[in-house]
Amino acid sequence: MNIEKMTAQMSSKPGFIAALDQSGGSTPGALRLYGIPDSAYSGDAEMFKLMHEMRVRIMTAPAFTGDKIIGAILFEGTMDGQAKGKPVPSYLWDDRGIVPFLKVDKGLETEADGVSLMKPIPGLDALLDRAVGLGVYGTKMRSVVNLPSESGIAAIARQQFEIGAQIAGHGLMPILEPEVSIKSPDKAGAEAILRTELTKGLDALPEGQKVMLKLTIPDVPDFYASLIAHPKIARVVALSGGYTRTDACKRLSANHGMIASFSRALLGDLRVSMSEADFDAKLAEAITEIFGASTVKG
């Protein structure tokens, strides 16, 4: 594991991050989209086995390389699994040139004050130690903003930065993900409050510490330019948030310095029934489109 090379790649190399981190709550929907119905498995073990097989098929496809994909976010079970006989993080970095990240959150609390904070993350230190041992570079954790609530969004930012500091203490790069729902009745208003709170958190970071941000593509192009330029930022990446790939890529193209970290927009056209040739072609098509939106700005 070459931390310096990974850091350089994540800070400046053209490309995007593939989000392969569906967890227990989102896995059934991801499998259904892939063409595997709920009736095809019984229990979590079988479900996650099928999901791992899907992810390995993606990670080992010819187009899934560091040429266009600079990082990949993994579910814990994927991090602990294997691809081509190697631990997944090692396979990604050594064989594909892709920096591995780990999703560490355990889901969302019930909405309160216009936001959904993260649930507690028991055993986080032990998980982070294991991630470091497996060659993981950084982490990701998601919370959600639904309404432009100043107190709620302040609480979201505070929680993200507090846990981010714990993660950084293990030598890992935190990706903070305070997602603004694209269904928010005042998305732009929520984004304005979020930008203010994130700026406060970045300003307060210790010297020498950086974080990444994963944000919903803003309604106003280049709205997060000040965050992208902040000296405590390693990279700002965009989630697709339910937008179609075409719409997400169009919106992303208007935001200079922001790159994609897509899940559904990347994987939505893939089906378990596809031949290897068709599967690889569809994945390559999606990768090329998302890479273009991440690197060529209008």
Side-chain angles (χ1 to χ4, degrees), residues 29-36 54 57-58 264 266-276 278-280 282-283:
L31 286 175
R32 285 194 292 270
L33 183 62
Y34 185 47
I36 298 177
M54 172 187 169
R57 190 181 186 190
I58 292 163
R264 280 169 290 180
L266 171 64
L267 311 176
D269 290 341
L270 304 179
R271 300 292 180 269
V272 66
S273 58
M274 286 178 170
S275 68
E276 291 308 300
D278 288 345
F279 183 93
D280 295 344
K282 279 294 183 184
L283 181 58

Side-chain angles (χ1 to χ4, degrees), residues 228-241:
I228 292 167
H230 197 285
K232 299 295 179 64
I233 282 291
R235 206 85 181 241
V236 175
V237 304
L239 57 99
S240 50

Side-chain angles (χ1 to χ4, degrees), residues 172-203:
L172 293 162
M173 171 63 71
I175 301 179
L176 314 184
E177 185 184 10
E179 174 181 350
V180 176
S181 172
I182 65 172
K183 298 178 181 177
S184 172
D186 185 6
K187 180 171 175 283
E191 287 168 346
I193 299 169
L194 180 63
R195 183 177 66 179
T196 297
E197 293 300 325
L198 290 177
T199 301
K200 291 178 186 176
L202 291 171
D203 289 345

Side-chain angles (χ1 to χ4, degrees), residues 146-173:
N146 293 305
L147 299 173
S149 162
E150 291 189 5
S151 56
I153 293 173
I156 284 261
R158 185 165 55 250
Q159 184 189 47
Q160 286 276 348
F161 278 102
E162 285 175 355
I163 301 177
Q166 183 179 355
I167 290 162
H170 288 258
L172 293 162
M173 171 63 71

Side-chain angles (χ1 to χ4, degrees), residues 34-188:
Y34 185 47
I36 298 177
D38 297 2
S39 59
Y41 54 87
S42 176
D44 285 354
E46 289 184 19
M47 177 182 75
F48 286 126
K49 180 177 181 292
L50 290 169
M51 196 70 214
H52 186 70
E53 290 170 358
M54 172 187 169
R55 288 172 176 145
V56 169
R57 190 181 186 190
I58 292 163
M59 290 184 288
T60 57
F64 200 88
T65 72
D67 290 343
K68 293 183 172 70
I69 300 169
I70 60 173
I73 303 171
L74 309 173
F75 173 60
E76 183 180 346
T78 310
M79 176 187 76
D80 291 332
Q82 298 215 334
K84 298 281 191 179
K86 298 180 70 170
V88 166
S90 297
Y91 174 77
L92 285 172
W93 179 243
D94 296 338
D95 292 42
R96 294 282 155 148
I98 294 172
V99 176
F101 288 80
L102 172 67
K103 166 191 158 68
V104 296
D105 69 85
K106 301 298 183 183
L108 301 171
E109 298 278 18
T110 302
E111 181 183 344
D113 198 13
V115 304
S116 291
L117 292 165
M118 289 181 284
K119 290 180 177 178
I121 311 175
L124 178 58
D125 286 316
L127 175 61
L128 297 174
D129 285 340
R130 199 165 85 246
V132 170
L134 287 166
V136 168
Y137 174 75
T139 65
K140 190 216 77 163
M141 51 190 177
R142 171 178 174 263
S143 45
V144 175
V145 174
N146 293 305
L147 299 173
S149 162
E150 291 189 5
S151 56
I153 293 173
I156 284 261
R158 185 165 55 250
Q159 184 189 47
Q160 286 276 348
F161 278 102
E162 285 175 355
I163 301 177
Q166 183 179 355
I167 290 162
H170 288 258
L172 293 162
M173 171 63 71
I175 301 179
L176 314 184
E177 185 184 10
E179 174 181 350
V180 176
S181 172
I182 65 172
K183 298 178 181 177
S184 172
D186 185 6
K187 180 171 175 283

